[in-house]
Amino acid sequence: MQQVVGKQDITILADRGYDDSSSFKTVHESGVTAIVPKIRTSANRSKGLFTKEDFVYNKEKDVYECPAGKDIPFSFVSTDKGKPLRAYMSAMACKSCAIKSRCTTSTAGRRIRRLDDEDHVERVAQAYKNMPNAMTLRQQTVEHPFGTVKQ
Ligand code: SF4
């Protein structure tokens, strides 16, 4: 990890693998900006289907806006490794959707899951988008000294 210290803020550039939502919450609560590339593990991407990144969360309405322009509302809460996981789905909208074959193979329609602390994941993703050279900067300033120390 690398810290970029500005006048009033601290930004941490971390490598892939530090992509952990509960850590992001702690980092943000301490007033630090985190920039971490996301590990892409979506099976949908390799199948040529829309991924979660194609859906936009609308916090005010608590819905996901899907690629067909429909609002996909909150449906229920489940848990994953003890963490609450909110599910958004709309069987009705998906049933009549013209682009369903590009979205899901499920007859019940597309389901989008959202962590309780996903706001922090989105904030990190946005920070990464805002600083496209972040990983180059990290490599230039951290990898070489690290390699030297290791040798
Ligand atoms: S299948 Fe459902 S979620 Fe997917 S684009 Fe169509 S309406 Fe939206």
Side-chain angles (χ1 to χ4, degrees), residues 78-115:
S78 61
T79 55
D80 179 37
K81 295 172 194 152
K83 285 184 177 180
L85 205 54
R86 295 169 64 80
Y88 294 76
M89 58 190 298
S90 171
M92 286 294 281
C94 298
K95 214 171 227 176
S96 59
C97 177
I99 56 172
K100 183 170 180 274
S101 62
R102 293 174 56 199
C103 191
T104 180
T105 54
S106 165
T107 50
R110 181 69 183 260
R111 184 187 299 180
I112 301 291
R113 295 181 178 86
R114 184 175 181 83
L115 292 165

PDB file of all heavy atoms in Angstrom, residues 78-115:
ATOM      1  N   SER A  78     -30.834 -11.698   2.545  1.00  0.00           N
ATOM      2  CA  SER A  78     -30.281 -13.002   2.920  1.00  0.00           C
ATOM      3  C   SER A  78     -28.936 -12.718   3.602  1.00  0.00           C
ATOM      4  O   SER A  78     -28.613 -11.564   3.882  1.00  0.00           O
ATOM      5  CB  SER A  78     -30.103 -13.881   1.678  1.00  0.00           C
ATOM      6  OG  SER A  78     -29.210 -13.255   0.783  1.00  0.00           O
ATOM      7  N   THR A  79     -28.162 -13.749   3.889  1.00  0.00           N
ATOM      8  CA  THR A  79     -26.840 -13.505   4.464  1.00  0.00           C
ATOM      9  C   THR A  79     -25.778 -14.264   3.679  1.00  0.00           C
ATOM     10  O   THR A  79     -26.058 -15.308   3.090  1.00  0.00           O
ATOM     11  CB  THR A  79     -26.755 -13.952   5.945  1.00  0.00           C
ATOM     12  OG1 THR A  79     -27.144 -15.307   6.024  1.00  0.00           O
ATOM     13  CG2 THR A  79     -27.586 -13.092   6.850  1.00  0.00           C
ATOM     14  N   ASP A  80     -24.582 -13.703   3.674  1.00  0.00           N
ATOM     15  CA  ASP A  80     -23.447 -14.358   3.030  1.00  0.00           C
ATOM     16  C   ASP A  80     -22.270 -14.231   3.991  1.00  0.00           C
ATOM     17  O   ASP A  80     -21.846 -13.123   4.303  1.00  0.00           O
ATOM     18  CB  ASP A  80     -23.138 -13.689   1.689  1.00  0.00           C
ATOM     19  CG  ASP A  80     -21.944 -14.329   0.991  1.00  0.00           C
ATOM     20  OD1 ASP A  80     -21.791 -15.559   1.087  1.00  0.00           O
ATOM     21  OD2 ASP A  80     -21.161 -13.586   0.369  1.00  0.00           O
ATOM     22  N   LYS A  81     -21.773 -15.362   4.475  1.00  0.00           N
ATOM     23  CA  LYS A  81     -20.691 -15.378   5.476  1.00  0.00           C
ATOM     24  C   LYS A  81     -21.023 -14.451   6.637  1.00  0.00           C
ATOM     25  O   LYS A  81     -20.182 -13.665   7.099  1.00  0.00           O
ATOM     26  CB  LYS A  81     -19.357 -14.987   4.833  1.00  0.00           C
ATOM     27  CG  LYS A  81     -18.891 -15.992   3.793  1.00  0.00           C
ATOM     28  CD  LYS A  81     -17.683 -15.484   3.039  1.00  0.00           C
ATOM     29  CE  LYS A  81     -17.453 -16.314   1.799  1.00  0.00           C
ATOM     30  NZ  LYS A  81     -16.805 -15.603   0.719  1.00  0.00           N
ATOM     31  N   GLY A  82     -22.280 -14.497   7.087  1.00  0.00           N
ATOM     32  CA  GLY A  82     -22.698 -13.698   8.243  1.00  0.00           C
ATOM     33  C   GLY A  82     -23.028 -12.249   7.922  1.00  0.00           C
ATOM     34  O   GLY A  82     -23.494 -11.511   8.778  1.00  0.00           O
ATOM     35  N   LYS A  83     -22.816 -11.835   6.676  1.00  0.00           N
ATOM     36  CA  LYS A  83     -23.097 -10.441   6.304  1.00  0.00           C
ATOM     37  C   LYS A  83     -24.455 -10.343   5.621  1.00  0.00           C
ATOM     38  O   LYS A  83     -24.760 -11.166   4.759  1.00  0.00           O
ATOM     39  CB  LYS A  83     -22.047  -9.934   5.315  1.00  0.00           C
ATOM     40  CG  LYS A  83     -20.715  -9.611   5.912  1.00  0.00           C
ATOM     41  CD  LYS A  83     -19.835  -9.032   4.814  1.00  0.00           C
ATOM     42  CE  LYS A  83     -18.510  -8.601   5.332  1.00  0.00           C
ATOM     43  NZ  LYS A  83     -17.673  -8.041   4.258  1.00  0.00           N
ATOM     44  N   PRO A  84     -25.266  -9.322   5.975  1.00  0.00           N
ATOM     45  CA  PRO A  84     -26.541  -9.159   5.286  1.00  0.00           C
ATOM     46  C   PRO A  84     -26.337  -8.820   3.811  1.00  0.00           C
ATOM     47  O   PRO A  84     -25.444  -8.040   3.473  1.00  0.00           O
ATOM     48  CB  PRO A  84     -27.209  -7.979   6.012  1.00  0.00           C
ATOM     49  CG  PRO A  84     -26.302  -7.570   7.096  1.00  0.00           C
ATOM     50  CD  PRO A  84     -25.003  -8.285   6.957  1.00  0.00           C
ATOM     51  N   LEU A  85     -27.145  -9.433   3.004  1.00  0.00           N
ATOM     52  CA  LEU A  85     -27.042  -9.237   1.558  1.00  0.00           C
ATOM     53  C   LEU A  85     -28.438  -8.913   1.037  1.00  0.00           C
ATOM     54  O   LEU A  85     -29.356  -9.724   1.167  1.00  0.00           O
ATOM     55  CB  LEU A  85     -26.534 -10.547   0.949  1.00  0.00           C
ATOM     56  CG  LEU A  85     -25.807 -10.519  -0.377  1.00  0.00           C
ATOM     57  CD1 LEU A  85     -24.636  -9.552  -0.355  1.00  0.00           C
ATOM     58  CD2 LEU A  85     -25.307 -11.916  -0.704  1.00  0.00           C
ATOM     59  N   ARG A  86     -28.588  -7.734   0.473  1.00  0.00           N
ATOM     60  CA  ARG A  86     -29.905  -7.318  -0.022  1.00  0.00           C
ATOM     61  C   ARG A  86     -30.068  -7.779  -1.467  1.00  0.00           C
ATOM     62  O   ARG A  86     -29.148  -7.620  -2.271  1.00  0.00           O
ATOM     63  CB  ARG A  86     -30.034  -5.793   0.055  1.00  0.00           C
ATOM     64  CG  ARG A  86     -30.011  -5.255   1.484  1.00  0.00           C
ATOM     65  CD  ARG A  86     -29.865  -3.740   1.503  1.00  0.00           C
ATOM     66  NE  ARG A  86     -30.996  -3.053   0.912  1.00  0.00           N
ATOM     67  CZ  ARG A  86     -32.149  -2.827   1.533  1.00  0.00           C
ATOM     68  NH1 ARG A  86     -32.321  -3.228   2.774  1.00  0.00           N
ATOM     69  NH2 ARG A  86     -33.135  -2.192   0.929  1.00  0.00           N
ATOM     70  N   ALA A  87     -31.217  -8.345  -1.771  1.00  0.00           N
ATOM     71  CA  ALA A  87     -31.468  -8.813  -3.136  1.00  0.00           C
ATOM     72  C   ALA A  87     -32.495  -7.913  -3.807  1.00  0.00           C
ATOM     73  O   ALA A  87     -33.495  -7.506  -3.201  1.00  0.00           O
ATOM     74  CB  ALA A  87     -31.977 -10.241  -3.107  1.00  0.00           C
ATOM     75  N   TYR A  88     -32.215  -7.576  -5.083  1.00  0.00           N
ATOM     76  CA  TYR A  88     -33.105  -6.738  -5.895  1.00  0.00           C
ATOM     77  C   TYR A  88     -33.531  -7.559  -7.094  1.00  0.00           C
ATOM     78  O   TYR A  88     -32.692  -8.147  -7.779  1.00  0.00           O
ATOM     79  CB  TYR A  88     -32.358  -5.476  -6.346  1.00  0.00           C
ATOM     80  CG  TYR A  88     -31.997  -4.565  -5.202  1.00  0.00           C
ATOM     81  CD1 TYR A  88     -30.939  -4.874  -4.358  1.00  0.00           C
ATOM     82  CD2 TYR A  88     -32.742  -3.425  -4.938  1.00  0.00           C
ATOM     83  CE1 TYR A  88     -30.624  -4.062  -3.275  1.00  0.00           C
ATOM     84  CE2 TYR A  88     -32.432  -2.596  -3.860  1.00  0.00           C
ATOM     85  CZ  TYR A  88     -31.368  -2.930  -3.038  1.00  0.00           C
ATOM     86  OH  TYR A  88     -31.061  -2.131  -1.967  1.00  0.00           O
ATOM     87  N   MET A  89     -34.802  -7.636  -7.333  1.00  0.00           N
ATOM     88  CA  MET A  89     -35.275  -8.387  -8.500  1.00  0.00           C
ATOM     89  C   MET A  89     -36.691  -7.973  -8.886  1.00  0.00           C
ATOM     90  O   MET A  89     -37.434  -7.443  -8.080  1.00  0.00           O
ATOM     91  CB  MET A  89     -35.197  -9.897  -8.239  1.00  0.00           C
ATOM     92  CG  MET A  89     -35.962 -10.385  -7.046  1.00  0.00           C
ATOM     93  SD  MET A  89     -35.577 -12.117  -6.675  1.00  0.00           S
ATOM     94  CE  MET A  89     -36.132 -12.927  -8.161  1.00  0.00           C
ATOM     95  N   SER A  90     -37.005  -8.218 -10.150  1.00  0.00           N
ATOM     96  CA  SER A  90     -38.348  -7.927 -10.631  1.00  0.00           C
ATOM     97  C   SER A  90     -38.721  -8.956 -11.701  1.00  0.00           C
ATOM     98  O   SER A  90     -38.391  -8.785 -12.874  1.00  0.00           O
ATOM     99  CB  SER A  90     -38.421  -6.513 -11.207  1.00  0.00           C
ATOM    100  OG  SER A  90     -39.674  -6.343 -11.855  1.00  0.00           O
ATOM    101  N   ALA A  91     -39.363 -10.019 -11.263  1.00  0.00           N
ATOM    102  CA  ALA A  91     -39.741 -11.086 -12.190  1.00  0.00           C
ATOM    103  C   ALA A  91     -40.659 -10.556 -13.288  1.00  0.00           C
ATOM    104  O   ALA A  91     -40.535 -10.933 -14.454  1.00  0.00           O
ATOM    105  CB  ALA A  91     -40.428 -12.210 -11.422  1.00  0.00           C
ATOM    106  N   MET A  92     -41.541  -9.636 -12.919  1.00  0.00           N
ATOM    107  CA  MET A  92     -42.511  -9.078 -13.885  1.00  0.00           C
ATOM    108  C   MET A  92     -41.803  -8.330 -15.014  1.00  0.00           C
ATOM    109  O   MET A  92     -42.070  -8.563 -16.192  1.00  0.00           O
ATOM    110  CB  MET A  92     -43.463  -8.108 -13.167  1.00  0.00           C
ATOM    111  CG  MET A  92     -44.497  -8.776 -12.296  1.00  0.00           C
ATOM    112  SD  MET A  92     -45.671  -9.730 -13.260  1.00  0.00           S
ATOM    113  CE  MET A  92     -46.736  -8.419 -13.839  1.00  0.00           C
ATOM    114  N   ALA A  93     -40.884  -7.423 -14.622  1.00  0.00           N
ATOM    115  CA  ALA A  93     -40.174  -6.616 -15.629  1.00  0.00           C
ATOM    116  C   ALA A  93     -39.349  -7.517 -16.534  1.00  0.00           C
ATOM    117  O   ALA A  93     -39.313  -7.328 -17.756  1.00  0.00           O
ATOM    118  CB  ALA A  93     -39.285  -5.593 -14.928  1.00  0.00           C
ATOM    119  N   CYS A  94     -38.696  -8.517 -15.955  1.00  0.00           N
ATOM    120  CA  CYS A  94     -37.795  -9.386 -16.733  1.00  0.00           C
ATOM    121  C   CYS A  94     -38.582 -10.274 -17.707  1.00  0.00           C
ATOM    122  O   CYS A  94     -38.105 -10.554 -18.807  1.00  0.00           O
ATOM    123  CB  CYS A  94     -36.935 -10.234 -15.808  1.00  0.00           C
ATOM    124  SG  CYS A  94     -35.859  -9.240 -14.754  1.00  0.00           S
ATOM    125  N   LYS A  95     -39.745 -10.677 -17.284  1.00  0.00           N
ATOM    126  CA  LYS A  95     -40.566 -11.583 -18.111  1.00  0.00           C
ATOM    127  C   LYS A  95     -40.846 -10.983 -19.486  1.00  0.00           C
ATOM    128  O   LYS A  95     -40.783 -11.664 -20.510  1.00  0.00           O
ATOM    129  CB  LYS A  95     -41.887 -11.866 -17.382  1.00  0.00           C
ATOM    130  CG  LYS A  95     -42.411 -13.248 -17.613  1.00  0.00           C
ATOM    131  CD  LYS A  95     -43.587 -13.515 -16.705  1.00  0.00           C
ATOM    132  CE  LYS A  95     -43.430 -14.866 -16.047  1.00  0.00           C
ATOM    133  NZ  LYS A  95     -44.461 -15.168 -15.092  1.00  0.00           N
ATOM    134  N   SER A  96     -41.131  -9.692 -19.511  1.00  0.00           N
ATOM    135  CA  SER A  96     -41.508  -9.046 -20.782  1.00  0.00           C
ATOM    136  C   SER A  96     -40.346  -8.270 -21.400  1.00  0.00           C
ATOM    137  O   SER A  96     -40.558  -7.460 -22.314  1.00  0.00           O
ATOM    138  CB  SER A  96     -42.680  -8.099 -20.529  1.00  0.00           C
ATOM    139  OG  SER A  96     -42.295  -7.134 -19.571  1.00  0.00           O
ATOM    140  N   CYS A  97     -39.123  -8.513 -20.907  1.00  0.00           N
ATOM    141  CA  CYS A  97     -37.983  -7.705 -21.357  1.00  0.00           C
ATOM    142  C   CYS A  97     -37.461  -8.181 -22.722  1.00  0.00           C
ATOM    143  O   CYS A  97     -37.197  -9.371 -22.924  1.00  0.00           O
ATOM    144  CB  CYS A  97     -36.873  -7.789 -20.317  1.00  0.00           C
ATOM    145  SG  CYS A  97     -35.392  -6.911 -20.824  1.00  0.00           S
ATOM    146  N   ALA A  98     -37.241  -7.239 -23.627  1.00  0.00           N
ATOM    147  CA  ALA A  98     -36.770  -7.554 -24.987  1.00  0.00           C
ATOM    148  C   ALA A  98     -35.301  -7.989 -25.004  1.00  0.00           C
ATOM    149  O   ALA A  98     -34.859  -8.629 -25.958  1.00  0.00           O
ATOM    150  CB  ALA A  98     -36.970  -6.335 -25.882  1.00  0.00           C
ATOM    151  N   ILE A  99     -34.529  -7.615 -23.967  1.00  0.00           N
ATOM    152  CA  ILE A  99     -33.100  -7.960 -23.971  1.00  0.00           C
ATOM    153  C   ILE A  99     -32.760  -8.962 -22.862  1.00  0.00           C
ATOM    154  O   ILE A  99     -31.611  -9.064 -22.439  1.00  0.00           O
ATOM    155  CB  ILE A  99     -32.213  -6.693 -23.868  1.00  0.00           C
ATOM    156  CG1 ILE A  99     -32.574  -5.863 -22.622  1.00  0.00           C
ATOM    157  CG2 ILE A  99     -32.312  -5.870 -25.125  1.00  0.00           C
ATOM    158  CD1 ILE A  99     -31.592  -4.699 -22.378  1.00  0.00           C
ATOM    159  N   LYS A 100     -33.762  -9.700 -22.428  1.00  0.00           N
ATOM    160  CA  LYS A 100     -33.557 -10.664 -21.327  1.00  0.00           C
ATOM    161  C   LYS A 100     -32.453 -11.673 -21.651  1.00  0.00           C
ATOM    162  O   LYS A 100     -31.669 -12.048 -20.776  1.00  0.00           O
ATOM    163  CB  LYS A 100     -34.873 -11.395 -21.032  1.00  0.00           C
ATOM    164  CG  LYS A 100     -34.782 -12.367 -19.873  1.00  0.00           C
ATOM    165  CD  LYS A 100     -36.164 -12.872 -19.469  1.00  0.00           C
ATOM    166  CE  LYS A 100     -36.088 -13.833 -18.317  1.00  0.00           C
ATOM    167  NZ  LYS A 100     -35.847 -15.202 -18.691  1.00  0.00           N
ATOM    168  N   SER A 101     -32.355 -12.088 -22.914  1.00  0.00           N
ATOM    169  CA  SER A 101     -31.348 -13.099 -23.272  1.00  0.00           C
ATOM    170  C   SER A 101     -29.921 -12.584 -23.069  1.00  0.00           C
ATOM    171  O   SER A 101     -28.985 -13.363 -22.975  1.00  0.00           O
ATOM    172  CB  SER A 101     -31.545 -13.542 -24.719  1.00  0.00           C
ATOM    173  OG  SER A 101     -31.361 -12.436 -25.568  1.00  0.00           O
ATOM    174  N   ARG A 102     -29.754 -11.260 -22.986  1.00  0.00           N
ATOM    175  CA  ARG A 102     -28.419 -10.680 -22.741  1.00  0.00           C
ATOM    176  C   ARG A 102     -28.182 -10.441 -21.256  1.00  0.00           C
ATOM    177  O   ARG A 102     -27.132  -9.939 -20.860  1.00  0.00           O
ATOM    178  CB  ARG A 102     -28.286  -9.350 -23.492  1.00  0.00           C
ATOM    179  CG  ARG A 102     -28.275  -9.532 -25.006  1.00  0.00           C
ATOM    180  CD  ARG A 102     -28.293  -8.204 -25.718  1.00  0.00           C
ATOM    181  NE  ARG A 102     -27.203  -7.344 -25.301  1.00  0.00           N
ATOM    182  CZ  ARG A 102     -27.181  -6.024 -25.491  1.00  0.00           C
ATOM    183  NH1 ARG A 102     -28.169  -5.420 -26.089  1.00  0.00           N
ATOM    184  NH2 ARG A 102     -26.163  -5.311 -25.079  1.00  0.00           N
ATOM    185  N   CYS A 103     -29.200 -10.781 -20.446  1.00  0.00           N
ATOM    186  CA  CYS A 103     -29.136 -10.414 -19.026  1.00  0.00           C
ATOM    187  C   CYS A 103     -29.105 -11.616 -18.085  1.00  0.00           C
ATOM    188  O   CYS A 103     -28.316 -11.650 -17.145  1.00  0.00           O
ATOM    189  CB  CYS A 103     -30.328  -9.526 -18.702  1.00  0.00           C
ATOM    190  SG  CYS A 103     -30.243  -8.738 -17.094  1.00  0.00           S
ATOM    191  N   THR A 104     -29.972 -12.581 -18.328  1.00  0.00           N
ATOM    192  CA  THR A 104     -30.054 -13.717 -17.422  1.00  0.00           C
ATOM    193  C   THR A 104     -30.609 -14.950 -18.132  1.00  0.00           C
ATOM    194  O   THR A 104     -31.372 -14.821 -19.093  1.00  0.00           O
ATOM    195  CB  THR A 104     -30.941 -13.386 -16.199  1.00  0.00           C
ATOM    196  OG1 THR A 104     -30.986 -14.516 -15.342  1.00  0.00           O
ATOM    197  CG2 THR A 104     -32.360 -13.000 -16.590  1.00  0.00           C
ATOM    198  N   THR A 105     -30.229 -16.109 -17.614  1.00  0.00           N
ATOM    199  CA  THR A 105     -30.796 -17.354 -18.140  1.00  0.00           C
ATOM    200  C   THR A 105     -31.864 -17.883 -17.177  1.00  0.00           C
ATOM    201  O   THR A 105     -32.501 -18.891 -17.449  1.00  0.00           O
ATOM    202  CB  THR A 105     -29.692 -18.415 -18.317  1.00  0.00           C
ATOM    203  OG1 THR A 105     -28.998 -18.556 -17.069  1.00  0.00           O
ATOM    204  CG2 THR A 105     -28.709 -18.035 -19.406  1.00  0.00           C
ATOM    205  N   SER A 106     -32.051 -17.170 -16.069  1.00  0.00           N
ATOM    206  CA  SER A 106     -33.024 -17.601 -15.066  1.00  0.00           C
ATOM    207  C   SER A 106     -34.457 -17.292 -15.509  1.00  0.00           C
ATOM    208  O   SER A 106     -34.728 -16.184 -15.984  1.00  0.00           O
ATOM    209  CB  SER A 106     -32.730 -16.891 -13.737  1.00  0.00           C
ATOM    210  OG  SER A 106     -33.832 -17.018 -12.880  1.00  0.00           O
ATOM    211  N   THR A 107     -35.356 -18.227 -15.307  1.00  0.00           N
ATOM    212  CA  THR A 107     -36.754 -17.968 -15.664  1.00  0.00           C
ATOM    213  C   THR A 107     -37.392 -17.002 -14.657  1.00  0.00           C
ATOM    214  O   THR A 107     -38.372 -16.339 -14.957  1.00  0.00           O
ATOM    215  CB  THR A 107     -37.567 -19.288 -15.679  1.00  0.00           C
ATOM    216  OG1 THR A 107     -37.309 -19.972 -14.456  1.00  0.00           O
ATOM    217  CG2 THR A 107     -37.200 -20.157 -16.859  1.00  0.00           C
ATOM    218  N   ALA A 108     -36.795 -16.924 -13.464  1.00  0.00           N
ATOM    219  CA  ALA A 108     -37.329 -16.026 -12.427  1.00  0.00           C
ATOM    220  C   ALA A 108     -36.884 -14.578 -12.643  1.00  0.00           C
ATOM    221  O   ALA A 108     -37.320 -13.680 -11.938  1.00  0.00           O
ATOM    222  CB  ALA A 108     -36.877 -16.501 -11.057  1.00  0.00           C
ATOM    223  N   GLY A 109     -36.001 -14.342 -13.615  1.00  0.00           N
ATOM    224  CA  GLY A 109     -35.514 -12.979 -13.862  1.00  0.00           C
ATOM    225  C   GLY A 109     -34.178 -12.733 -13.191  1.00  0.00           C
ATOM    226  O   GLY A 109     -33.646 -13.592 -12.496  1.00  0.00           O
ATOM    227  N   ARG A 110     -33.641 -11.556 -13.419  1.00  0.00           N
ATOM    228  CA  ARG A 110     -32.312 -11.198 -12.926  1.00  0.00           C
ATOM    229  C   ARG A 110     -32.365 -10.781 -11.458  1.00  0.00           C
ATOM    230  O   ARG A 110     -33.274 -10.073 -11.037  1.00  0.00           O
ATOM    231  CB  ARG A 110     -31.756 -10.040 -13.771  1.00  0.00           C
ATOM    232  CG  ARG A 110     -30.365  -9.578 -13.384  1.00  0.00           C
ATOM    233  CD  ARG A 110     -29.337 -10.642 -13.716  1.00  0.00           C
ATOM    234  NE  ARG A 110     -28.008 -10.272 -13.289  1.00  0.00           N
ATOM    235  CZ  ARG A 110     -27.063  -9.777 -14.100  1.00  0.00           C
ATOM    236  NH1 ARG A 110     -27.329  -9.583 -15.371  1.00  0.00           N
ATOM    237  NH2 ARG A 110     -25.878  -9.471 -13.634  1.00  0.00           N
ATOM    238  N   ARG A 111     -31.372 -11.232 -10.713  1.00  0.00           N
ATOM    239  CA  ARG A 111     -31.269 -10.836  -9.311  1.00  0.00           C
ATOM    240  C   ARG A 111     -29.932 -10.109  -9.110  1.00  0.00           C
ATOM    241  O   ARG A 111     -28.903 -10.578  -9.558  1.00  0.00           O
ATOM    242  CB  ARG A 111     -31.320 -12.070  -8.407  1.00  0.00           C
ATOM    243  CG  ARG A 111     -31.314 -11.725  -6.938  1.00  0.00           C
ATOM    244  CD  ARG A 111     -31.202 -12.956  -6.078  1.00  0.00           C
ATOM    245  NE  ARG A 111     -32.315 -13.868  -6.266  1.00  0.00           N
ATOM    246  CZ  ARG A 111     -32.423 -15.030  -5.607  1.00  0.00           C
ATOM    247  NH1 ARG A 111     -31.494 -15.406  -4.751  1.00  0.00           N
ATOM    248  NH2 ARG A 111     -33.457 -15.813  -5.817  1.00  0.00           N
ATOM    249  N   ILE A 112     -29.988  -8.966  -8.438  1.00  0.00           N
ATOM    250  CA  ILE A 112     -28.774  -8.201  -8.134  1.00  0.00           C
ATOM    251  C   ILE A 112     -28.619  -8.189  -6.618  1.00  0.00           C
ATOM    252  O   ILE A 112     -29.578  -7.915  -5.894  1.00  0.00           O
ATOM    253  CB  ILE A 112     -28.897  -6.732  -8.643  1.00  0.00           C
ATOM    254  CG1 ILE A 112     -29.127  -6.694 -10.148  1.00  0.00           C
ATOM    255  CG2 ILE A 112     -27.657  -5.919  -8.274  1.00  0.00           C
ATOM    256  CD1 ILE A 112     -27.955  -7.138 -10.985  1.00  0.00           C
ATOM    257  N   ARG A 113     -27.416  -8.476  -6.146  1.00  0.00           N
ATOM    258  CA  ARG A 113     -27.170  -8.496  -4.708  1.00  0.00           C
ATOM    259  C   ARG A 113     -26.357  -7.277  -4.286  1.00  0.00           C
ATOM    260  O   ARG A 113     -25.471  -6.845  -5.012  1.00  0.00           O
ATOM    261  CB  ARG A 113     -26.422  -9.774  -4.323  1.00  0.00           C
ATOM    262  CG  ARG A 113     -27.236 -11.027  -4.548  1.00  0.00           C
ATOM    263  CD  ARG A 113     -26.456 -12.264  -4.139  1.00  0.00           C
ATOM    264  NE  ARG A 113     -27.251 -13.459  -4.313  1.00  0.00           N
ATOM    265  CZ  ARG A 113     -27.342 -14.130  -5.465  1.00  0.00           C
ATOM    266  NH1 ARG A 113     -26.680 -13.715  -6.518  1.00  0.00           N
ATOM    267  NH2 ARG A 113     -28.092 -15.218  -5.539  1.00  0.00           N
ATOM    268  N   ARG A 114     -26.685  -6.785  -3.103  1.00  0.00           N
ATOM    269  CA  ARG A 114     -25.999  -5.585  -2.596  1.00  0.00           C
ATOM    270  C   ARG A 114     -25.623  -5.769  -1.130  1.00  0.00           C
ATOM    271  O   ARG A 114     -26.472  -6.098  -0.300  1.00  0.00           O
ATOM    272  CB  ARG A 114     -26.929  -4.373  -2.758  1.00  0.00           C
ATOM    273  CG  ARG A 114     -26.280  -3.065  -2.348  1.00  0.00           C
ATOM    274  CD  ARG A 114     -27.180  -1.872  -2.628  1.00  0.00           C
ATOM    275  NE  ARG A 114     -26.505  -0.642  -2.238  1.00  0.00           N
ATOM    276  CZ  ARG A 114     -25.635   0.000  -3.010  1.00  0.00           C
ATOM    277  NH1 ARG A 114     -25.397  -0.422  -4.216  1.00  0.00           N
ATOM    278  NH2 ARG A 114     -25.028   1.085  -2.570  1.00  0.00           N
ATOM    279  N   LEU A 115     -24.341  -5.551  -0.835  1.00  0.00           N
ATOM    280  CA  LEU A 115     -23.864  -5.618   0.549  1.00  0.00           C
ATOM    281  C   LEU A 115     -24.351  -4.399   1.321  1.00  0.00           C
ATOM    282  O   LEU A 115     -24.580  -3.344   0.727  1.00  0.00           O
ATOM    283  CB  LEU A 115     -22.333  -5.610   0.579  1.00  0.00           C
ATOM    284  CG  LEU A 115     -21.620  -6.832   0.034  1.00  0.00           C
ATOM    285  CD1 LEU A 115     -20.147  -6.509  -0.196  1.00  0.00           C
ATOM    286  CD2 LEU A 115     -21.764  -8.001   1.003  1.00  0.00           C
TER     287      LEU A 115
END
